[in-house]
Amino acid sequence: MTFSSLGLSKDLLDAVKVAGYEAPTSVQQQVIPLILRGQDVIAQAKTGTGKTASFALPVLQLVQASVSGPKKVIKALVLAPTRELAMQVEHAFKAYGRQLTRPLRTITLIGGLNIDLQIRNLHHGADIAVATPGRLLDLIKRRSVDLSMLNILIVDEADKMFDLGFAEELAAVLNALPPNRQNLLFSATMPEKVVVLAQKFMKAPVQVKEEEGAPTAELIYQRVIDVNRTNRGPLLRHLIQTEQWAQVLIFVASVRDADVLVVKLLKADIQANAFHGGLTQAQREHVLKEFKTGRLRVLVATDIAARGIDIKKLPCVINYDLPRSPNDYIHRIGRTARAGEKGVAVSFVGHEDQAHFRLIEKRCRVRLSRESIKGFELTGQPPPGTKGPAPVKGRRMSKKDKARALALKEGR
Ligand code: AMP
């Protein structure tokens, strides 16, 4: 199939050409014609398979067609869970929109940046806004943003946005939008309960889903290494020094763990930096840019880097700490093997993580063999009390989850 068979305008076909895309990916083939037809869509597609373009291209076309006078009012709104993802999505809109004969204006409305500047920018008008919910609500409360002409709402990482940490804010944003609009939901993971919730505010949405099979991207080689928790640091240094990975993204459980690990890596002469919600926005942007451009080899991050962030040709992701939920596992390891590239995902599993990792395997419908690295073999016995069922995210938040949600919120 070719892009030209999907109903995109010449300008947007030029944009695709400039981006260097030869053929539409599976999600693009399915979703672009539906969006152009004005359908509500709930789309689930594997990580790194071009979801952004699957909504950005047709939305640009629809917005372009609906622009009437010279005054710019927000016609399409994208919601994303983190500031960096919002910026990345806006960047994609800008890049694809560059070929339009009548250019559209895009704007990001995210926390951590000067709100007055965003208000001033809003005064100049914008056709498409990409926002994190907290800042958008702030702007709505101040009556600084006019959403009365909104035609299209896109919720990226939709399952995350319906999750406990965001649900209230999302509901408040939805309340502030005109009811007559096209709704588009995207994620690599779309639990049934999200689909049920979403259908309440959507109009007969068409569901686009992966074919049955493991929800993890095929091009990721998933490795699981048995190692004692106390030996993870030395093993990590050993792997970084012996494997030929050009870059490594390491996930840990908390801001503090990220900072501590970076200090240890630097002591071992491994160039590394941390990326988490405890940094200023300027620091976050700087570190991510260093990593995205390949100037930084090792990035130690919390789950704020787990969703949507597109790092070209990233060869390796390491779960130093396991993610709490299987869905987070899918998103974390999906930072590698994007756009048809291959990648490796390594998970460290100690005695106390075995049950939890089995749950991740079950939910991801994979069975992975365990590796043992010479000199770092798992020793000792599982401590008592670790054989029970692994923690599953329930309806009520644990203390830790509350803290995480707060950290994420602050970091947004
Ligand atoms: P996304 O899943 O939207 O983050 O996209 C993942 C990566 O795939 C991005 O780097 C895109 O530039 C790239 N991409 C999107 N569509 C295509 C395509 N049709 N062919 C090749 N690469 C693509």
Side-chain angles (χ1 to χ4, degrees), residues 52 78-95 106-113 118 129-132 156 275 280-286 288-289 292 307-310 411-412:
T52 316
V78 187
L79 293 175
T82 63
R83 300 165 183 173
E84 286 72 19
L85 181 56
M87 287 194 277
Q88 184 181 296
V89 169
E90 195 237 6
H91 191 77
F93 270 99
K94 267 212 176 90
T106 60
I107 191 167
T108 40
L109 305 172
I110 57 175
L113 296 179
Q118 285 171 9
V130 187
T132 48
D156 201 6
F275 178 69
T280 65
Q281 188 53 29
Q283 287 170 325
R284 278 166 65 157
E285 275 171 44
H286 174 74
L288 194 61
K289 190 166 170 209
K292 277 193 170 187
R307 294 266 181 167
I309 301 298
D310 188 44
R412 231 175 301 149

Side-chain angles (χ1 to χ4, degrees), residues 199-276:
Q199 277 166 338
K200 289 194 179 134
F201 74 87
M202 298 178 85
K203 289 182 304 274
V206 178
Q207 239 180 297
V208 170
K209 264 202 252 181
E210 292 290 341
E211 65 288 3
E212 286 304 305
T216 47
E218 289 84 2
L219 293 165
I220 306 174
Y221 169 40
Q222 298 174 63
R223 292 175 60 182
V224 189
I225 303 180
D226 279 334
V227 58
N228 291 94
R229 285 187 87 82
T230 47
N231 233 355
R232 288 175 304 167
L235 173 61
L236 177 69
R237 295 195 285 277
H238 169 78
L239 290 175
I240 292 174
Q241 278 153 354
T242 54
E243 300 277 351
Q244 301 297 311
W245 300 316
Q247 283 191 296
V248 189
L249 172 60
I250 302 160
F251 281 104
V252 293
S254 72
V255 167
R256 203 185 116 74
D257 292 337
D259 288 338
V260 168
L261 188 55
V262 165
V263 169
K264 283 188 183 154
L265 290 169
L266 291 173
K267 268 193 194 145
D269 274 336
I270 295 168
Q271 179 216 14
N273 216 332
F275 178 69
H276 53 61

